[in-house]
Amino acid sequence: MPSPVLIAIDASPASSTLLTLARRYCRPGEHELHVLLAIDSTFAVHEQPAPYTAEELEEYPAACQEQQHADHAVAEAVRELQQAGFASQGCMVAGLPVEAIVTKAQELNCELIIMGHRHLSRLGRLLDPSISAKVIDRVDMPVLVGSA
């Protein structure tokens, strides 16, 4: 059975760097790649990808747009990995990124987490601590941190 690897993306252009890392360090047939994107729960309209009602589009236009962007990013990442020969699946989760990444990695019994790192100043790290650092502190599996 292939070993699960979690790739935590954020729908930014830097996500392609994480997919490149996964293709470099993982092997089709040996690793099953799971793509995860966590969005703020205030921007989650549906738990699963689904069409929006006219009411939802009118009342929550920003949330609908954000969730559509997230769903599209996950689908594109999965498609790219599958084209490279990997067994791959993905999901968008509403919630705090650290909680979502740690929970999903533990649920899947992952061998590895691949995630990005934002380059912050000291003040920036003080005001908004690193998600990757928080994940590293909470899991007992390797975390490969890519830099954009």
Side-chain angles (χ1 to χ4, degrees):
M1 174 181 256
S3 299
V5 173
L6 182 65
I7 306 168
I9 66 171
D10 65 0
S12 73
S15 295
S16 65
T17 302
L18 302 178
L19 302 180
T20 300
L21 279 173
R23 289 192 312 272
R24 183 179 303 150
Y25 292 104
C26 300
R27 301 200 190 327
E30 291 182 32
H31 298 99
E32 181 177 10
L33 305 182
H34 295 264
V35 177
L36 172 72
L37 193 152
I39 64 170
D40 188 312
S41 49
T42 58
F43 285 103
V45 181
H46 299 137
E47 289 293 317
Q48 303 289 330
Y52 300 103
T53 66
E55 281 181 350
E56 289 170 337
L57 288 168
E58 186 177 320
E59 190 155 342
Y60 311 110
C64 291
Q65 185 176 14
E66 182 76 13
Q67 188 164 353
Q68 285 175 328
H69 183 65
D71 289 336
H72 178 73
V74 170
E76 283 297 312
V78 168
R79 188 172 13 265
E80 182 179 326
L81 294 169
Q82 288 174 342
Q83 288 175 347
F86 289 95
S88 181
Q89 46 191 293
C91 66
M92 187 277 306
V93 176
L96 299 172
V98 173
E99 296 301 321
I101 293 165
V102 169
T103 299
K104 186 58 111 175
Q106 291 170 341
E107 283 174 6
L108 296 169
N109 196 27
C110 284
E111 173 182 303
L112 173 69
I113 299 171
I114 299 174
M115 61 187 303
H117 170 70
R118 296 178 296 154
H119 296 282
L120 300 172
S121 66
R122 285 183 188 210
L123 179 59
R125 282 192 300 274
L126 181 63
L127 297 174
D128 185 17
S130 166
I131 291 170
S132 56
K134 289 179 182 179
V135 169
I136 290 167
D137 287 343
R138 297 211 21 218
V139 298
D140 55 356
M141 64 194 72
V143 178
L144 176 59
V145 180
S147 180

